[in-house]
Amino acid sequence: MKTNLAEYIKSTPEGKEAESILRTCVHCGFCTATCPTYQLLGDELDSPRGRIYLMKEVLEGNAVTAKTQMHLDRCLTCRACETTCPSGVQYGRLVDIGRNIVDQHVSRPLSQSIVRTALRFVLPRPALFNPLLRIGQSVRPLLPSALKKKIPKPGKSNTIWPALRHARKMLVLDGCVQPSLAPQINAATARVLDRLGISLVAAEAAGCCGAVTFHLNRQAEALDFMRRNIDAWWPHVQAGVEAVVITASGCGTMVKEYGHLLARDPQYAGKAARISELSKDLSEVIFAEKEKLEEVLGSSLAPRPSSPPPRVAFHSPCSLQHGLQIRGMVEGLLISAGFELTMVPDSHLCCGSAGTYSILQPELSQRLLKNKVDALESGNPGMLVTANIGCLTHIQSGTSLQVKHWVNILDERLS
Ligand code: SF4
Ligand code: SF4
């Protein structure tokens, strides 16, 4: 695609990056076939190709309007278009740059600004999010059903963390909302890795990966979350941890980008690149230890279950299959552990969670959720599993089946 970027942007690092991405797009439109918003709305401007065209217009200095902002807001950043694109267009990076510029030109209505600020302020801070969640859970029975569904029921969690007894050590990202919503995920990860001869370490000073803030277009603020994590993790990296394990694939895609996003920060560039290199989705870590896992599963250490394990449907989050381009690993591990996986039609499509999308675009999000739940339930599974806390809570709000992180059922199988 030919481009002629406007003076104000063309010499900036973002302008140069956006221009090189725009030039890889040949406008073939293959990506429209797998775009969830285009499938729902049928409007070219709600497809990847249409949004690329809108962003080109903005970057070339043409008028930026609320309509441009609306079509970019409706994008889930699911990156299914990247998986489909034969030319390797890095749509995710382009839309991050494009949205940021559009938000600088188009102010939002007050109500939208308040909601976005509240999300930015509360979600990345467990000290605020946790008490608010507990209040919400205590009044949950009194809430209207639409709101009730958005607040997960309180439940018992196994948060027992094994002693750090192995020479092999890995760090884990604690994250922001996950410790409040599902503390059992990282604890189960620690127990499973312990059985595989790896001790999992949590660095207390680390927290939100920065994704919530970044995708709400406060990118400079998000870089501070990233720097804080790097500072918290660095002593452990120097002590020789083998990996930074991420149990929420949405966070995993963000940490993989630390190196790129902090490349122009002389103090953090090298460290950020090293952290991105060390960051691994949990499925990659356990898949690399599959032989050992099968040994443990086959040994007397893992008693045979008295009844067959339930048939499960796996929802592969967009961040896992499109963002990190990891496919088949979770499925392979669950099959090794004796689970039967049911077929999930259109498994490439987003569930509608997409970070804060379910709150900011409720109508589209609910339509995607219904389609996803129908697809997941179509093979009559006994349970649903996934790999990202956002998808987990969102899908749980639309089904009566139990939804778990896959590591929890693997942990149960090993216990
Ligand atoms: S993003 Fe890729 S698939 Fe979509 S129009 Fe451009 S080149 Fe074609
Ligand atoms: S990221 Fe997802 S919603 Fe956005 S344009 Fe690509 S496929 Fe469509």
PDB file of all heavy atoms in Angstrom, residues 31-32 34-39 46-52 55 71-72 74-82 84 91-92 95 99 318 322 349-350 357 368, ligand 2:
ATOM      1  N   CYS A  31      -8.299 -11.105   5.494  1.00  0.00           N
ATOM      2  CA  CYS A  31      -8.485 -10.969   6.947  1.00  0.00           C
ATOM      3  C   CYS A  31      -9.951 -10.764   7.335  1.00  0.00           C
ATOM      4  O   CYS A  31     -10.338 -11.080   8.463  1.00  0.00           O
ATOM      5  CB  CYS A  31      -7.646  -9.798   7.458  1.00  0.00           C
ATOM      6  SG  CYS A  31      -7.933  -8.279   6.540  1.00  0.00           S
ATOM      7  N   THR A  32     -10.748 -10.252   6.421  1.00  0.00           N
ATOM      8  CA  THR A  32     -12.141  -9.977   6.782  1.00  0.00           C
ATOM      9  C   THR A  32     -12.895 -11.265   7.129  1.00  0.00           C
ATOM     10  O   THR A  32     -13.839 -11.254   7.909  1.00  0.00           O
ATOM     11  CB  THR A  32     -12.889  -9.251   5.637  1.00  0.00           C
ATOM     12  OG1 THR A  32     -12.781 -10.056   4.474  1.00  0.00           O
ATOM     13  CG2 THR A  32     -12.315  -7.879   5.361  1.00  0.00           C
ATOM     14  N   THR A  34     -12.091 -13.703   8.972  1.00  0.00           N
ATOM     15  CA  THR A  34     -11.980 -14.203  10.346  1.00  0.00           C
ATOM     16  C   THR A  34     -12.162 -13.095  11.382  1.00  0.00           C
ATOM     17  O   THR A  34     -11.910 -13.313  12.566  1.00  0.00           O
ATOM     18  CB  THR A  34     -10.605 -14.871  10.577  1.00  0.00           C
ATOM     19  OG1 THR A  34      -9.592 -13.942  10.207  1.00  0.00           O
ATOM     20  CG2 THR A  34     -10.464 -16.149   9.786  1.00  0.00           C
ATOM     21  N   CYS A  35     -12.601 -11.920  10.942  1.00  0.00           N
ATOM     22  CA  CYS A  35     -12.764 -10.808  11.891  1.00  0.00           C
ATOM     23  C   CYS A  35     -14.140 -10.897  12.567  1.00  0.00           C
ATOM     24  O   CYS A  35     -15.170 -10.829  11.898  1.00  0.00           O
ATOM     25  CB  CYS A  35     -12.620  -9.481  11.170  1.00  0.00           C
ATOM     26  SG  CYS A  35     -13.024  -8.076  12.232  1.00  0.00           S
ATOM     27  N   PRO A  36     -14.169 -11.042  13.902  1.00  0.00           N
ATOM     28  CA  PRO A  36     -15.465 -11.202  14.579  1.00  0.00           C
ATOM     29  C   PRO A  36     -16.384  -9.993  14.402  1.00  0.00           C
ATOM     30  O   PRO A  36     -17.595 -10.172  14.255  1.00  0.00           O
ATOM     31  CB  PRO A  36     -15.088 -11.363  16.054  1.00  0.00           C
ATOM     32  CG  PRO A  36     -13.638 -11.666  16.083  1.00  0.00           C
ATOM     33  CD  PRO A  36     -13.036 -11.116  14.840  1.00  0.00           C
ATOM     34  N   THR A  37     -15.848  -8.790  14.422  1.00  0.00           N
ATOM     35  CA  THR A  37     -16.742  -7.623  14.322  1.00  0.00           C
ATOM     36  C   THR A  37     -17.295  -7.478  12.907  1.00  0.00           C
ATOM     37  O   THR A  37     -18.431  -7.046  12.722  1.00  0.00           O
ATOM     38  CB  THR A  37     -16.036  -6.325  14.765  1.00  0.00           C
ATOM     39  OG1 THR A  37     -14.841  -6.153  14.001  1.00  0.00           O
ATOM     40  CG2 THR A  37     -15.694  -6.362  16.237  1.00  0.00           C
ATOM     41  N   TYR A  38     -16.511  -7.853  11.911  1.00  0.00           N
ATOM     42  CA  TYR A  38     -17.024  -7.797  10.536  1.00  0.00           C
ATOM     43  C   TYR A  38     -18.113  -8.854  10.354  1.00  0.00           C
ATOM     44  O   TYR A  38     -19.134  -8.610   9.716  1.00  0.00           O
ATOM     45  CB  TYR A  38     -15.888  -8.006   9.531  1.00  0.00           C
ATOM     46  CG  TYR A  38     -16.346  -7.904   8.096  1.00  0.00           C
ATOM     47  CD1 TYR A  38     -16.821  -6.691   7.592  1.00  0.00           C
ATOM     48  CD2 TYR A  38     -16.337  -9.015   7.254  1.00  0.00           C
ATOM     49  CE1 TYR A  38     -17.270  -6.590   6.277  1.00  0.00           C
ATOM     50  CE2 TYR A  38     -16.782  -8.927   5.942  1.00  0.00           C
ATOM     51  CZ  TYR A  38     -17.240  -7.710   5.465  1.00  0.00           C
ATOM     52  OH  TYR A  38     -17.692  -7.604   4.172  1.00  0.00           O
ATOM     53  N   GLN A  39     -17.895 -10.004  10.972  1.00  0.00           N
ATOM     54  CA  GLN A  39     -18.921 -11.059  10.878  1.00  0.00           C
ATOM     55  C   GLN A  39     -20.234 -10.607  11.510  1.00  0.00           C
ATOM     56  O   GLN A  39     -21.305 -10.899  11.006  1.00  0.00           O
ATOM     57  CB  GLN A  39     -18.443 -12.335  11.567  1.00  0.00           C
ATOM     58  CG  GLN A  39     -17.418 -13.076  10.750  1.00  0.00           C
ATOM     59  CD  GLN A  39     -17.129 -14.464  11.301  1.00  0.00           C
ATOM     60  OE1 GLN A  39     -17.759 -14.928  12.240  1.00  0.00           O
ATOM     61  NE2 GLN A  39     -16.158 -15.133  10.710  1.00  0.00           N
ATOM     62  N   ASP A  46     -15.693  -1.959   9.953  1.00  0.00           N
ATOM     63  CA  ASP A  46     -15.514  -2.783  11.147  1.00  0.00           C
ATOM     64  C   ASP A  46     -14.746  -4.054  10.808  1.00  0.00           C
ATOM     65  O   ASP A  46     -14.871  -5.067  11.503  1.00  0.00           O
ATOM     66  CB  ASP A  46     -16.870  -3.119  11.782  1.00  0.00           C
ATOM     67  CG  ASP A  46     -17.455  -1.905  12.492  1.00  0.00           C
ATOM     68  OD1 ASP A  46     -16.728  -1.289  13.287  1.00  0.00           O
ATOM     69  OD2 ASP A  46     -18.618  -1.555  12.219  1.00  0.00           O
ATOM     70  N   SER A  47     -13.971  -3.991   9.731  1.00  0.00           N
ATOM     71  CA  SER A  47     -13.094  -5.116   9.374  1.00  0.00           C
ATOM     72  C   SER A  47     -11.653  -4.631   9.501  1.00  0.00           C
ATOM     73  O   SER A  47     -11.397  -3.427   9.564  1.00  0.00           O
ATOM     74  CB  SER A  47     -13.356  -5.538   7.919  1.00  0.00           C
ATOM     75  OG  SER A  47     -12.741  -4.606   7.037  1.00  0.00           O
ATOM     76  N   PRO A  48     -10.693  -5.568   9.529  1.00  0.00           N
ATOM     77  CA  PRO A  48      -9.289  -5.132   9.620  1.00  0.00           C
ATOM     78  C   PRO A  48      -8.893  -4.238   8.441  1.00  0.00           C
ATOM     79  O   PRO A  48      -8.253  -3.197   8.632  1.00  0.00           O
ATOM     80  CB  PRO A  48      -8.508  -6.445   9.579  1.00  0.00           C
ATOM     81  CG  PRO A  48      -9.505  -7.533   9.775  1.00  0.00           C
ATOM     82  CD  PRO A  48     -10.862  -7.011   9.501  1.00  0.00           C
ATOM     83  N   ARG A  49      -9.304  -4.652   7.235  1.00  0.00           N
ATOM     84  CA  ARG A  49      -8.916  -3.852   6.067  1.00  0.00           C
ATOM     85  C   ARG A  49      -9.489  -2.446   6.150  1.00  0.00           C
ATOM     86  O   ARG A  49      -8.815  -1.457   5.856  1.00  0.00           O
ATOM     87  CB  ARG A  49      -9.406  -4.559   4.788  1.00  0.00           C
ATOM     88  CG  ARG A  49      -8.976  -3.854   3.524  1.00  0.00           C
ATOM     89  CD  ARG A  49      -9.283  -4.671   2.299  1.00  0.00           C
ATOM     90  NE  ARG A  49     -10.723  -4.937   2.159  1.00  0.00           N
ATOM     91  CZ  ARG A  49     -11.247  -5.630   1.149  1.00  0.00           C
ATOM     92  NH1 ARG A  49     -10.451  -6.129   0.220  1.00  0.00           N
ATOM     93  NH2 ARG A  49     -12.539  -5.844   1.077  1.00  0.00           N
ATOM     94  N   GLY A  50     -10.744  -2.344   6.587  1.00  0.00           N
ATOM     95  CA  GLY A  50     -11.379  -1.023   6.704  1.00  0.00           C
ATOM     96  C   GLY A  50     -10.702  -0.183   7.778  1.00  0.00           C
ATOM     97  O   GLY A  50     -10.469   1.021   7.599  1.00  0.00           O
ATOM     98  N   ARG A  51     -10.356  -0.818   8.873  1.00  0.00           N
ATOM     99  CA  ARG A  51      -9.700  -0.056   9.963  1.00  0.00           C
ATOM    100  C   ARG A  51      -8.293   0.370   9.541  1.00  0.00           C
ATOM    101  O   ARG A  51      -7.835   1.453   9.906  1.00  0.00           O
ATOM    102  CB  ARG A  51      -9.653  -0.907  11.241  1.00  0.00           C
ATOM    103  CG  ARG A  51     -11.033  -1.119  11.840  1.00  0.00           C
ATOM    104  CD  ARG A  51     -10.982  -1.917  13.139  1.00  0.00           C
ATOM    105  NE  ARG A  51     -12.320  -2.041  13.677  1.00  0.00           N
ATOM    106  CZ  ARG A  51     -12.944  -3.207  13.898  1.00  0.00           C
ATOM    107  NH1 ARG A  51     -12.343  -4.351  13.640  1.00  0.00           N
ATOM    108  NH2 ARG A  51     -14.170  -3.219  14.389  1.00  0.00           N
ATOM    109  N   ILE A  52      -7.618  -0.484   8.788  1.00  0.00           N
ATOM    110  CA  ILE A  52      -6.282  -0.107   8.292  1.00  0.00           C
ATOM    111  C   ILE A  52      -6.428   1.132   7.398  1.00  0.00           C
ATOM    112  O   ILE A  52      -5.643   2.083   7.483  1.00  0.00           O
ATOM    113  CB  ILE A  52      -5.631  -1.295   7.530  1.00  0.00           C
ATOM    114  CG1 ILE A  52      -5.215  -2.376   8.537  1.00  0.00           C
ATOM    115  CG2 ILE A  52      -4.432  -0.834   6.711  1.00  0.00           C
ATOM    116  CD1 ILE A  52      -4.773  -3.685   7.920  1.00  0.00           C
ATOM    117  N   MET A  55      -6.980   4.172   9.548  1.00  0.00           N
ATOM    118  CA  MET A  55      -5.748   4.618  10.223  1.00  0.00           C
ATOM    119  C   MET A  55      -4.792   5.270   9.230  1.00  0.00           C
ATOM    120  O   MET A  55      -4.101   6.238   9.568  1.00  0.00           O
ATOM    121  CB  MET A  55      -5.086   3.434  10.940  1.00  0.00           C
ATOM    122  CG  MET A  55      -5.876   3.006  12.173  1.00  0.00           C
ATOM    123  SD  MET A  55      -5.051   1.759  13.150  1.00  0.00           S
ATOM    124  CE  MET A  55      -5.609   0.257  12.373  1.00  0.00           C
ATOM    125  N   HIS A  71     -15.117   3.099  15.134  1.00  0.00           N
ATOM    126  CA  HIS A  71     -14.741   1.848  14.447  1.00  0.00           C
ATOM    127  C   HIS A  71     -13.479   1.233  15.058  1.00  0.00           C
ATOM    128  O   HIS A  71     -13.355   0.005  15.108  1.00  0.00           O
ATOM    129  CB  HIS A  71     -14.564   2.096  12.947  1.00  0.00           C
ATOM    130  CG  HIS A  71     -15.866   2.389  12.244  1.00  0.00           C
ATOM    131  ND1 HIS A  71     -16.868   1.457  12.143  1.00  0.00           N
ATOM    132  CD2 HIS A  71     -16.329   3.519  11.640  1.00  0.00           C
ATOM    133  CE1 HIS A  71     -17.905   1.991  11.500  1.00  0.00           C
ATOM    134  NE2 HIS A  71     -17.596   3.245  11.187  1.00  0.00           N
ATOM    135  N   LEU A  72     -12.558   2.078  15.526  1.00  0.00           N
ATOM    136  CA  LEU A  72     -11.353   1.526  16.178  1.00  0.00           C
ATOM    137  C   LEU A  72     -11.704   0.976  17.561  1.00  0.00           C
ATOM    138  O   LEU A  72     -11.168  -0.046  17.986  1.00  0.00           O
ATOM    139  CB  LEU A  72     -10.251   2.584  16.277  1.00  0.00           C
ATOM    140  CG  LEU A  72      -9.673   3.094  14.954  1.00  0.00           C
ATOM    141  CD1 LEU A  72      -8.443   3.962  15.205  1.00  0.00           C
ATOM    142  CD2 LEU A  72      -9.304   1.963  14.007  1.00  0.00           C
ATOM    143  N   ARG A  74     -14.439  -0.420  18.372  1.00  0.00           N
ATOM    144  CA  ARG A  74     -15.156  -1.699  18.227  1.00  0.00           C
ATOM    145  C   ARG A  74     -14.223  -2.876  17.960  1.00  0.00           C
ATOM    146  O   ARG A  74     -14.639  -4.030  18.035  1.00  0.00           O
ATOM    147  CB  ARG A  74     -16.151  -1.602  17.071  1.00  0.00           C
ATOM    148  CG  ARG A  74     -17.411  -0.844  17.417  1.00  0.00           C
ATOM    149  CD  ARG A  74     -18.310  -0.933  16.217  1.00  0.00           C
ATOM    150  NE  ARG A  74     -19.502  -0.138  16.320  1.00  0.00           N
ATOM    151  CZ  ARG A  74     -20.252   0.202  15.277  1.00  0.00           C
ATOM    152  NH1 ARG A  74     -19.913  -0.182  14.062  1.00  0.00           N
ATOM    153  NH2 ARG A  74     -21.341   0.910  15.445  1.00  0.00           N
ATOM    154  N   CYS A  75     -12.976  -2.591  17.607  1.00  0.00           N
ATOM    155  CA  CYS A  75     -12.010  -3.668  17.370  1.00  0.00           C
ATOM    156  C   CYS A  75     -11.662  -4.319  18.700  1.00  0.00           C
ATOM    157  O   CYS A  75     -11.378  -3.642  19.685  1.00  0.00           O
ATOM    158  CB  CYS A  75     -10.761  -3.101  16.702  1.00  0.00           C
ATOM    159  SG  CYS A  75      -9.399  -4.272  16.654  1.00  0.00           S
ATOM    160  N   LEU A  76     -11.656  -5.647  18.728  1.00  0.00           N
ATOM    161  CA  LEU A  76     -11.369  -6.394  19.962  1.00  0.00           C
ATOM    162  C   LEU A  76      -9.872  -6.525  20.246  1.00  0.00           C
ATOM    163  O   LEU A  76      -9.489  -7.001  21.311  1.00  0.00           O
ATOM    164  CB  LEU A  76     -11.933  -7.812  19.828  1.00  0.00           C
ATOM    165  CG  LEU A  76     -13.443  -7.941  19.727  1.00  0.00           C
ATOM    166  CD1 LEU A  76     -13.810  -8.992  18.688  1.00  0.00           C
ATOM    167  CD2 LEU A  76     -14.053  -8.295  21.061  1.00  0.00           C
ATOM    168  N   THR A  77      -9.051  -6.131  19.288  1.00  0.00           N
ATOM    169  CA  THR A  77      -7.603  -6.404  19.315  1.00  0.00           C
ATOM    170  C   THR A  77      -7.367  -7.905  19.528  1.00  0.00           C
ATOM    171  O   THR A  77      -6.429  -8.324  20.216  1.00  0.00           O
ATOM    172  CB  THR A  77      -6.851  -5.589  20.398  1.00  0.00           C
ATOM    173  OG1 THR A  77      -7.507  -4.330  20.582  1.00  0.00           O
ATOM    174  CG2 THR A  77      -5.411  -5.324  20.001  1.00  0.00           C
ATOM    175  N   CYS A  78      -8.231  -8.720  18.922  1.00  0.00           N
ATOM    176  CA  CYS A  78      -8.101 -10.176  19.080  1.00  0.00           C
ATOM    177  C   CYS A  78      -6.974 -10.732  18.206  1.00  0.00           C
ATOM    178  O   CYS A  78      -6.476 -11.818  18.453  1.00  0.00           O
ATOM    179  CB  CYS A  78      -9.416 -10.862  18.726  1.00  0.00           C
ATOM    180  SG  CYS A  78      -9.852 -10.762  16.970  1.00  0.00           S
ATOM    181  N   ARG A  79      -6.625  -9.998  17.168  1.00  0.00           N
ATOM    182  CA  ARG A  79      -5.525 -10.322  16.258  1.00  0.00           C
ATOM    183  C   ARG A  79      -5.758 -11.584  15.426  1.00  0.00           C
ATOM    184  O   ARG A  79      -4.812 -12.181  14.903  1.00  0.00           O
ATOM    185  CB  ARG A  79      -4.188 -10.370  17.017  1.00  0.00           C
ATOM    186  CG  ARG A  79      -3.829  -8.998  17.559  1.00  0.00           C
ATOM    187  CD  ARG A  79      -2.686  -8.974  18.551  1.00  0.00           C
ATOM    188  NE  ARG A  79      -1.420  -9.397  17.981  1.00  0.00           N
ATOM    189  CZ  ARG A  79      -0.282  -9.491  18.677  1.00  0.00           C
ATOM    190  NH1 ARG A  79      -0.279  -9.171  19.959  1.00  0.00           N
ATOM    191  NH2 ARG A  79       0.831  -9.874  18.104  1.00  0.00           N
ATOM    192  N   ALA A  80      -7.055 -11.964  15.296  1.00  0.00           N
ATOM    193  CA  ALA A  80      -7.358 -13.079  14.386  1.00  0.00           C
ATOM    194  C   ALA A  80      -6.931 -12.699  12.972  1.00  0.00           C
ATOM    195  O   ALA A  80      -6.524 -13.549  12.177  1.00  0.00           O
ATOM    196  CB  ALA A  80      -8.852 -13.393  14.423  1.00  0.00           C
ATOM    197  N   CYS A  81      -7.007 -11.403  12.665  1.00  0.00           N
ATOM    198  CA  CYS A  81      -6.621 -10.943  11.325  1.00  0.00           C
ATOM    199  C   CYS A  81      -5.133 -11.183  11.066  1.00  0.00           C
ATOM    200  O   CYS A  81      -4.732 -11.454   9.936  1.00  0.00           O
ATOM    201  CB  CYS A  81      -6.971  -9.470  11.133  1.00  0.00           C
ATOM    202  SG  CYS A  81      -6.512  -8.413  12.519  1.00  0.00           S
ATOM    203  N   GLU A  82      -4.314 -11.104  12.114  1.00  0.00           N
ATOM    204  CA  GLU A  82      -2.873 -11.348  11.926  1.00  0.00           C
ATOM    205  C   GLU A  82      -2.615 -12.801  11.563  1.00  0.00           C
ATOM    206  O   GLU A  82      -1.747 -13.106  10.750  1.00  0.00           O
ATOM    207  CB  GLU A  82      -2.096 -11.001  13.201  1.00  0.00           C
ATOM    208  CG  GLU A  82      -1.949  -9.515  13.426  1.00  0.00           C
ATOM    209  CD  GLU A  82      -1.006  -9.170  14.564  1.00  0.00           C
ATOM    210  OE1 GLU A  82      -0.114  -9.972  14.893  1.00  0.00           O
ATOM    211  OE2 GLU A  82      -1.184  -8.087  15.138  1.00  0.00           O
ATOM    212  N   THR A  84      -4.614 -14.698   9.948  1.00  0.00           N
ATOM    213  CA  THR A  84      -5.121 -14.970   8.597  1.00  0.00           C
ATOM    214  C   THR A  84      -4.312 -14.265   7.508  1.00  0.00           C
ATOM    215  O   THR A  84      -4.258 -14.732   6.378  1.00  0.00           O
ATOM    216  CB  THR A  84      -6.588 -14.482   8.495  1.00  0.00           C
ATOM    217  OG1 THR A  84      -7.267 -14.855   9.677  1.00  0.00           O
ATOM    218  CG2 THR A  84      -7.292 -15.053   7.291  1.00  0.00           C
ATOM    219  N   TYR A  91      -1.130  -6.003  12.511  1.00  0.00           N
ATOM    220  CA  TYR A  91      -2.296  -5.156  12.783  1.00  0.00           C
ATOM    221  C   TYR A  91      -2.338  -4.683  14.243  1.00  0.00           C
ATOM    222  O   TYR A  91      -2.698  -3.543  14.524  1.00  0.00           O
ATOM    223  CB  TYR A  91      -3.583  -5.936  12.435  1.00  0.00           C
ATOM    224  CG  TYR A  91      -4.813  -5.176  12.830  1.00  0.00           C
ATOM    225  CD1 TYR A  91      -5.403  -4.276  11.953  1.00  0.00           C
ATOM    226  CD2 TYR A  91      -5.362  -5.323  14.105  1.00  0.00           C
ATOM    227  CE1 TYR A  91      -6.514  -3.544  12.342  1.00  0.00           C
ATOM    228  CE2 TYR A  91      -6.464  -4.590  14.502  1.00  0.00           C
ATOM    229  CZ  TYR A  91      -7.032  -3.709  13.609  1.00  0.00           C
ATOM    230  OH  TYR A  91      -8.122  -2.975  14.008  1.00  0.00           O
ATOM    231  N   GLY A  92      -1.972  -5.572  15.179  1.00  0.00           N
ATOM    232  CA  GLY A  92      -2.055  -5.234  16.614  1.00  0.00           C
ATOM    233  C   GLY A  92      -1.224  -4.004  16.944  1.00  0.00           C
ATOM    234  O   GLY A  92      -1.671  -3.105  17.652  1.00  0.00           O
ATOM    235  N   VAL A  95      -2.859  -0.836  15.313  1.00  0.00           N
ATOM    236  CA  VAL A  95      -4.059  -0.310  15.971  1.00  0.00           C
ATOM    237  C   VAL A  95      -3.696   0.344  17.314  1.00  0.00           C
ATOM    238  O   VAL A  95      -4.338   1.312  17.724  1.00  0.00           O
ATOM    239  CB  VAL A  95      -5.158  -1.401  16.093  1.00  0.00           C
ATOM    240  CG1 VAL A  95      -4.934  -2.331  17.267  1.00  0.00           C
ATOM    241  CG2 VAL A  95      -6.544  -0.773  16.180  1.00  0.00           C
ATOM    242  N   ARG A  99      -4.978   4.119  17.499  1.00  0.00           N
ATOM    243  CA  ARG A  99      -5.933   4.522  18.553  1.00  0.00           C
ATOM    244  C   ARG A  99      -5.367   5.659  19.400  1.00  0.00           C
ATOM    245  O   ARG A  99      -6.089   6.571  19.793  1.00  0.00           O
ATOM    246  CB  ARG A  99      -6.216   3.342  19.468  1.00  0.00           C
ATOM    247  CG  ARG A  99      -7.213   2.368  18.919  1.00  0.00           C
ATOM    248  CD  ARG A  99      -7.366   1.265  19.938  1.00  0.00           C
ATOM    249  NE  ARG A  99      -8.442   0.381  19.598  1.00  0.00           N
ATOM    250  CZ  ARG A  99      -8.406  -0.921  19.841  1.00  0.00           C
ATOM    251  NH1 ARG A  99      -7.367  -1.474  20.405  1.00  0.00           N
ATOM    252  NH2 ARG A  99      -9.433  -1.676  19.513  1.00  0.00           N
ATOM    253  N   CYS A 318      -7.774 -15.624  22.396  1.00  0.00           N
ATOM    254  CA  CYS A 318      -7.149 -14.979  21.217  1.00  0.00           C
ATOM    255  C   CYS A 318      -5.698 -14.640  21.509  1.00  0.00           C
ATOM    256  O   CYS A 318      -4.832 -14.749  20.642  1.00  0.00           O
ATOM    257  CB  CYS A 318      -7.891 -13.695  20.873  1.00  0.00           C
ATOM    258  SG  CYS A 318      -9.606 -13.976  20.527  1.00  0.00           S
ATOM    259  N   HIS A 322      -3.650 -16.230  18.721  1.00  0.00           N
ATOM    260  CA  HIS A 322      -3.286 -15.212  17.720  1.00  0.00           C
ATOM    261  C   HIS A 322      -2.145 -14.313  18.214  1.00  0.00           C
ATOM    262  O   HIS A 322      -1.246 -13.974  17.459  1.00  0.00           O
ATOM    263  CB  HIS A 322      -4.495 -14.340  17.387  1.00  0.00           C
ATOM    264  CG  HIS A 322      -5.692 -15.121  16.937  1.00  0.00           C
ATOM    265  ND1 HIS A 322      -5.635 -16.022  15.899  1.00  0.00           N
ATOM    266  CD2 HIS A 322      -6.981 -15.156  17.390  1.00  0.00           C
ATOM    267  CE1 HIS A 322      -6.836 -16.572  15.730  1.00  0.00           C
ATOM    268  NE2 HIS A 322      -7.663 -16.071  16.626  1.00  0.00           N
ATOM    269  N   LEU A 349     -12.525 -17.726  16.933  1.00  0.00           N
ATOM    270  CA  LEU A 349     -13.240 -16.472  17.215  1.00  0.00           C
ATOM    271  C   LEU A 349     -13.186 -16.085  18.682  1.00  0.00           C
ATOM    272  O   LEU A 349     -13.203 -16.925  19.579  1.00  0.00           O
ATOM    273  CB  LEU A 349     -14.707 -16.593  16.775  1.00  0.00           C
ATOM    274  CG  LEU A 349     -14.956 -16.586  15.264  1.00  0.00           C
ATOM    275  CD1 LEU A 349     -16.436 -16.785  14.974  1.00  0.00           C
ATOM    276  CD2 LEU A 349     -14.454 -15.311  14.601  1.00  0.00           C
ATOM    277  N   CYS A 350     -13.187 -14.781  18.918  1.00  0.00           N
ATOM    278  CA  CYS A 350     -13.085 -14.193  20.261  1.00  0.00           C
ATOM    279  C   CYS A 350     -14.379 -14.441  21.058  1.00  0.00           C
ATOM    280  O   CYS A 350     -15.476 -14.482  20.498  1.00  0.00           O
ATOM    281  CB  CYS A 350     -12.850 -12.700  20.094  1.00  0.00           C
ATOM    282  SG  CYS A 350     -12.661 -11.800  21.634  1.00  0.00           S
ATOM    283  N   TYR A 357     -13.096  -4.727  26.986  1.00  0.00           N
ATOM    284  CA  TYR A 357     -14.089  -4.641  25.906  1.00  0.00           C
ATOM    285  C   TYR A 357     -15.495  -5.004  26.392  1.00  0.00           C
ATOM    286  O   TYR A 357     -16.485  -4.383  26.002  1.00  0.00           O
ATOM    287  CB  TYR A 357     -13.664  -5.585  24.783  1.00  0.00           C
ATOM    288  CG  TYR A 357     -14.380  -5.426  23.463  1.00  0.00           C
ATOM    289  CD1 TYR A 357     -13.878  -4.585  22.476  1.00  0.00           C
ATOM    290  CD2 TYR A 357     -15.535  -6.150  23.171  1.00  0.00           C
ATOM    291  CE1 TYR A 357     -14.506  -4.461  21.233  1.00  0.00           C
ATOM    292  CE2 TYR A 357     -16.165  -6.028  21.940  1.00  0.00           C
ATOM    293  CZ  TYR A 357     -15.648  -5.185  20.983  1.00  0.00           C
ATOM    294  OH  TYR A 357     -16.280  -5.063  19.763  1.00  0.00           O
ATOM    295  N   LEU A 368     -20.977 -11.916  21.056  1.00  0.00           N
ATOM    296  CA  LEU A 368     -19.847 -12.841  20.875  1.00  0.00           C
ATOM    297  C   LEU A 368     -19.841 -13.916  21.961  1.00  0.00           C
ATOM    298  O   LEU A 368     -19.519 -15.077  21.701  1.00  0.00           O
ATOM    299  CB  LEU A 368     -18.518 -12.061  20.899  1.00  0.00           C
ATOM    300  CG  LEU A 368     -18.288 -11.176  19.681  1.00  0.00           C
ATOM    301  CD1 LEU A 368     -17.143 -10.199  19.923  1.00  0.00           C
ATOM    302  CD2 LEU A 368     -17.993 -12.022  18.436  1.00  0.00           C
TER     303      LEU A 368
HETATM  304  S1  SF4 B   2      -8.066  -7.481  15.868  1.00  0.00           S
HETATM  305 FE1  SF4 B   2      -9.884  -8.819  15.751  1.00  0.00          FE
HETATM  306  S2  SF4 B   2     -11.647  -7.423  15.801  1.00  0.00           S
HETATM  307 FE2  SF4 B   2      -9.818  -6.181  15.365  1.00  0.00          FE
HETATM  308  S3  SF4 B   2      -9.743  -6.040  13.142  1.00  0.00           S
HETATM  309 FE3  SF4 B   2      -8.447  -7.807  13.705  1.00  0.00          FE
HETATM  310  S4  SF4 B   2      -9.810  -9.586  13.630  1.00  0.00           S
HETATM  311 FE4  SF4 B   2     -11.134  -7.746  13.637  1.00  0.00          FE
END
